[in-house]
Amino acid sequence: MGSIKENLEVIHKNINEACKRAGRDTSEVTLISVSKTKPVSDILEAIDAGERNFGENYVQELVAKTEEIKDDLTWHMIGPLQSNKVKKAVKAASIIHSVHSISIAETINKEAAKLGKIQDILIEINVGSELSKHGIDISEAEEVTLEIAKLDNLRIRGYMCIPPIAEDKDANRLYFRELKQLSDKMNKDHSDILHLDMLSMGMSSDYETAIEEGATHVRVGTAIFGARNYNK
Ligand SMILES: *Cc1c(COP(=O)(O)O)cnc(C)c1O
């Protein structure tokens, strides 16, 4: 691996090429640099290279980093959210990707209302249907989306998924396609209340495939910052 700056150059080149293959404009795709467990100095290096979107998994870490880095950035909360952490998450996050139940949506709505904020959210869909994974089962996606759409202080921007870890670039292509189809169908069938403009899918191992299948936001950590060390 190269420096953070060099890695970002490679990834942006890959993003451009994936867009070209898919007949999409590069401006349709946002790279989220997933900086969880990584020091502020790494984030500053990425900011220096022109990045403005960062993803964090842990509320504590998100809060600490947003307090330390005062640049005007977009912070994406992408990790599983517990209800007792919602208040802090709503204060610190620009957008919460990991809304995995109606009850957590209700809690976010309540905290957003207290702050006078309209909180942008994504609904996490369990595309692999594995029992152990977070996310709304795809068969319940429509019903749950419409229920969450009733909450006044939330704005549903779209869907996100975390499919099984990909063995190769193509392994999750059908899951990505399934999520794109869900998003298109919901926009078509419920155009009076839904305007879904974000699709958060694709990680280090498969972001190019996700872009080919319609991702608007790819979440890339390891390929930018290197392997994570959870023991530090
Ligand atoms: C850690 C994480 C990523 C980044 O994964 P990499 O494989 O390091 O690119 C993306 N999305 C979510 C939800 C994550 O937790």
Side-chain angles (χ1 to χ4, degrees):
M1 297 212 26
S3 67
I4 288 170
K5 189 159 182 268
E6 288 164 348
N7 295 339
L8 283 165
E9 276 169 21
V10 171
I11 291 163
H12 281 293
K13 187 166 150 285
N14 292 340
I15 290 174
N16 290 347
E17 282 168 7
C19 283
K20 223 174 266 168
R21 284 196 297 279
R24 303 180 63 195
D25 197 283
T26 306
S27 66
E28 293 173 34
V29 177
T30 300
L31 172 65
I32 300 173
S33 300
V34 176
S35 44
K36 62 174 182 243
T37 78
K38 296 296 178 181
V40 164
S41 58
D42 281 8
I43 298 178
L44 296 179
E45 219 175 309
I47 292 172
D48 224 38
E51 299 308 315
R52 285 290 174 274
N53 285 264
F54 292 88
E56 290 287 339
N57 284 56
Y58 311 102
V59 174
Q60 210 95 320
E61 199 178 340
L62 172 72
V63 169
K65 284 173 174 169
T66 53
E67 281 173 359
E68 195 168 339
I69 305 171
K70 289 298 172 201
D71 299 58
D72 185 20
L73 303 171
T74 302
W75 289 96
H76 301 256
M77 173 62 199
I78 63 174
L81 199 51
Q82 292 158 339
S83 54
N84 61 346
K85 303 269 173 66
V86 164
K87 183 179 185 161
K88 285 183 173 162
V90 169
K91 268 194 184 146
S94 318
I95 170 151
I96 299 174
H97 288 227
S98 39
V99 175
H100 54 76
S101 69
I102 293 175
S103 98
I104 202 81
E106 286 170 345
T107 309
I108 295 169
N109 183 60
K110 201 162 67 190
E111 294 300 337
K114 280 189 211 160
L115 292 174
K117 178 181 185 183
I118 304 291
Q119 177 68 57
D120 280 344
I121 61 153
L122 299 177
I123 299 175
E124 182 174 351
I125 303 293
N126 180 355
V127 283
S129 285
E130 298 156 291
L131 292 173
S132 62
K133 281 275 169 71
H134 268 297
I136 310 281
D137 198 274
I138 195 143
S139 64
E140 293 166 10
E142 179 168 20
E143 189 189 334
V144 171
T145 302
L146 295 178
E147 203 54 43
I148 293 177
K150 293 177 189 162
L151 300 169
D152 284 339
N153 285 76
L154 301 186
R155 184 187 297 123
I156 307 175
R157 297 289 302 271
Y159 295 114
M160 77 92 87
C161 68
I162 314 175
I165 299 293
E167 294 286 328
D168 63 77
K169 270 189 195 176
D170 264 340
N172 289 324
R173 184 180 293 279
L174 293 180
Y175 294 137
F176 296 148
R177 195 170 294 172
E178 201 177 6
L179 200 65
K180 168 70 172 158
Q181 282 167 352
L182 171 70
S183 170
D184 287 349
K185 184 179 175 344
M186 293 298 289
N187 271 333
K188 183 165 160 284
D189 292 352
H190 305 284
S191 58
D192 51 335
I193 47 169
L194 294 176
H195 309 281
L196 309 178
D197 63 346
M198 284 180 67
L199 207 49
S200 166
M201 55 189 195
M203 305 175 25
S204 289
S205 55
D206 53 16
Y207 63 91
E208 293 155 276
T209 309
I211 291 168
E212 289 169 13
E213 296 299 333
T216 66
H217 289 68
V218 291
R219 310 180 307 265
V220 178
T222 311
I224 299 172
F225 298 111
R228 287 177 288 274
N229 180 358
Y230 288 98
N231 301 321
K232 267 192 293 190

